[in-house]
Amino acid sequence: MMQAVAVPVVGNVCHVFMNGLNRVQVYGLEKLHDALLHRPKGKPLLTVSNHVASMDDPLVIASLLPPNVLLDAKNVRWTLCATDRCFKNPVTSAFFRSVKVLPVSRGDGIYQKGMDIAISKLNHGGWVHLFPEGSRSRDGGKTMGSSKRGVGRLVLDGDSMPIVVPFVHTGMQDIMPIGANFPRIGKMVTVLIGDPIDFNDILDVEKVSDVPRKELYDAVASRIGDQLQKLKVQVDTLAMEQEMQFQAHSSHGFVRASGILQQVDWESFGMGNFMPADDYDSKQREETIISPNTSVPQPQQSHRDQRRGVGFSNRMRGYMDQMELMSFAARGIFMTNETKNSSGRSREIGPLKAWKQYLEANLLRPWNYAQY
């Protein structure tokens, strides 16, 4: 009962955190979904990945699964965690057991109770996720350690060969840096999912020759480690390209937002000083040249009102940068501004349309970016 409640709640919270407050770019997602949702009944699934941050699981795992899958605790993975990290006291032990975490003891080898339970879950057609390195990266995910022998036992010692799907991610070092107590937001994580790994040749060697079991474990672990290393090189390249494209789109959005900002009537709410002095003087000169003999009476502003307007403008400029001013301007303060359409006629830009243009130019594009 605890798993039926805790797994959907924790899983969907992590899914929203990763895909709503951060950005996740996934390549090859269909490979994982096909293995998870369309594998033969009773066929075990083993996923393996690099280990960058303390919250790789559940954050990365939850970001890869649709919310409807996370609602059923039976669909979600089992994983292993060291007793000195996740099972220190009765409270943490109860929590981690409720979210399908199995305890393993450091230094007790591959033939311990936690490994036996993981193999049992595979034998019942379950899904087990494992970090073959055995511990987190010591340099923030820049390099990967070698795969340990234990993953070989999970592959070879079950009743049937599991589907082994590798994936590698980068960016979790920004969400959960070394020494951080809470995850951060506004970051990007890139995930690359590889093809299922084939071990038929190793099984053939096991059948025809008397090879020590540990050597077979090492052969499986080595193959998994090689595949993860190849994916690591690719995902680092993809992440770099992704970041460059995102910065280019952000710059383009800033230019468009700046154009919209120029349509705001800053004078109407005492922010005339937002316009550079040179532009203001040139605008006055143009008006003088166009209408030299026109005398339009203007309401006189008291010295107190002038000081108030200038003070407000200076305070706004002191506490807000240009991007914050854009956000301020987009909150319904757009007045009756005019612009010219393609036919040369002037038209008014109402508050709703100006707000829509601001969102499209500065907010929606960066958040909707990187969805493939």
Side-chain angles (χ1 to χ4, degrees):
M1 291 180 61
M2 291 181 63
Q3 286 182 2
V5 175
V7 170
V9 171
V10 174
N12 279 281
V13 167
C14 293
H15 180 89
V16 171
F17 176 81
M18 290 296 289
N19 292 283
L21 300 180
N22 293 281
R23 300 183 298 274
V24 182
Q25 170 70 57
V26 186
Y27 297 88
L29 184 60
E30 70 283 352
K31 300 174 184 177
L32 175 62
H33 286 182
D34 183 65
L36 175 61
L37 303 176
H38 304 112
R39 69 186 189 276
K41 185 177 181 180
K43 184 70 172 178
L45 172 64
L46 176 65
T47 54
V48 291
S49 72
N50 60 324
H51 198 3
V52 177
S54 59
M55 295 190 68
D56 288 350
D57 188 340
L59 292 182
V60 176
I61 296 293
S63 71
L64 301 178
L65 302 180
N68 62 319
V69 174
L70 293 168
L71 289 176
D72 188 355
K74 295 180 180 179
N75 293 328
V76 181
R77 91 292 170 267
W78 290 88
T79 191
L80 296 91
C81 183
T83 55
D84 60 349
R85 289 191 59 83
C86 301
F87 299 88
K88 294 181 178 180
N89 55 65
V91 175
T92 58
S93 297
F95 170 77
F96 283 107
R97 290 182 189 277
S98 69
V99 291
K100 304 180 71 170
V101 178
L102 303 174
V104 290
S105 300
R106 301 181 191 271
D108 285 0
I110 64 175
Y111 296 103
Q112 58 175 291
K113 184 178 180 180
M115 295 291 291
D116 294 338
I117 297 176
I119 293 175
S120 175
K121 300 301 181 184
L122 292 172
N123 289 339
H124 286 83
W127 170 22
V128 174
H129 179 74
L130 189 69
F131 300 108
E133 300 169 86
S135 61
R136 285 176 292 168
S137 172
R138 299 180 182 276
D139 57 7
K142 296 179 181 179
T143 59
M144 288 179 53
S146 60
S147 296
K148 300 299 187 290
R149 184 177 290 172
V151 69
R153 189 188 173 209
L154 292 182
V155 173
L156 295 177
D157 283 6
D159 294 339
S160 62
M161 174 71 67
I163 301 173
V164 181
V165 178
F167 66 86
V168 172
H169 57 86
T170 184
M172 281 300 297
Q173 66 273 13
D174 299 324
I175 292 181
M176 200 71 183
I178 297 175
N181 294 322
F182 299 97
R184 299 177 179 179
I185 63 174
K187 308 299 182 181
M188 176 177 287
V189 174
T190 305
V191 184
L192 176 61
I193 301 174
D195 295 318
I197 303 175
D198 181 49
F199 300 100
N200 288 330
D201 57 332
I202 297 178
L203 292 178
D204 293 340
V205 171
E206 180 185 17
K207 294 176 181 178
V208 301
S209 62
D210 188 16
V211 179
R213 198 69 176 170
K214 292 183 179 179
E215 292 186 12
L216 295 176
Y217 294 159
D218 291 340
V220 171
S222 177
R223 180 163 302 179
I224 290 175
D226 291 342
Q227 291 297 318
L228 292 177
Q229 291 287 355
K230 292 178 182 178
L231 294 175
K232 171 65 175 172
V233 174
Q234 298 177 44
V235 79
D236 287 342
T237 302
L238 291 171
M240 185 178 300
E241 295 174 353
Q242 184 73 15
E243 183 64 24
M244 294 174 63
Q245 293 176 7
F246 179 75
Q247 291 178 359
H249 277 257
S250 298
S251 300
H252 179 67
F254 178 81
V255 172
R256 290 191 59 192
S258 299
I260 296 173
L261 183 61
Q262 297 302 318
Q263 301 174 15
V264 179
D265 185 7
W266 297 101
E267 294 284 350
S268 61
F269 42 88
M271 294 183 67
N273 285 352
F274 177 76
M275 180 181 295
D278 294 340
D279 294 344
Y280 181 82
D281 292 341
S282 62
K283 183 177 180 180
Q284 293 293 329
R285 287 195 298 269
E286 290 176 2
E287 292 177 355
T288 304
I289 295 173
I290 293 174
S291 305
N293 298 322
T294 302
S295 176
V296 180
Q298 298 291 338
Q300 297 296 319
Q301 188 179 28
S302 66
H303 292 290
R304 179 178 180 182
D305 291 337
Q306 291 177 358
R307 289 195 302 270
R308 182 184 305 164
V310 172
F312 175 75
S313 176
N314 290 335
R315 286 195 299 271
M316 293 298 294
R317 296 179 66 183
Y319 289 107
M320 301 174 67
D321 58 19
Q322 290 189 2
M323 289 300 294
E324 291 172 333
L325 283 170
M326 290 183 204
S327 177
F328 175 74
R331 293 174 187 158
I333 59 176
F334 292 89
M335 308 302 288
T336 56
N337 306 285
E338 292 187 352
T339 184
K340 291 186 178 180
N341 56 22
S342 57
S343 62
R345 297 179 179 179
S346 62
R347 58 182 178 85
E348 290 186 354
I349 297 181
L352 292 179
K353 186 167 181 123
W355 172 246
K356 179 175 179 291
Q357 290 180 2
Y358 171 79
L359 286 178
E360 291 177 347
N362 196 49
L363 295 179
L364 296 182
R365 280 176 175 266
W367 280 101
N368 290 333
Y369 181 65
Q371 297 295 326
Y372 292 89

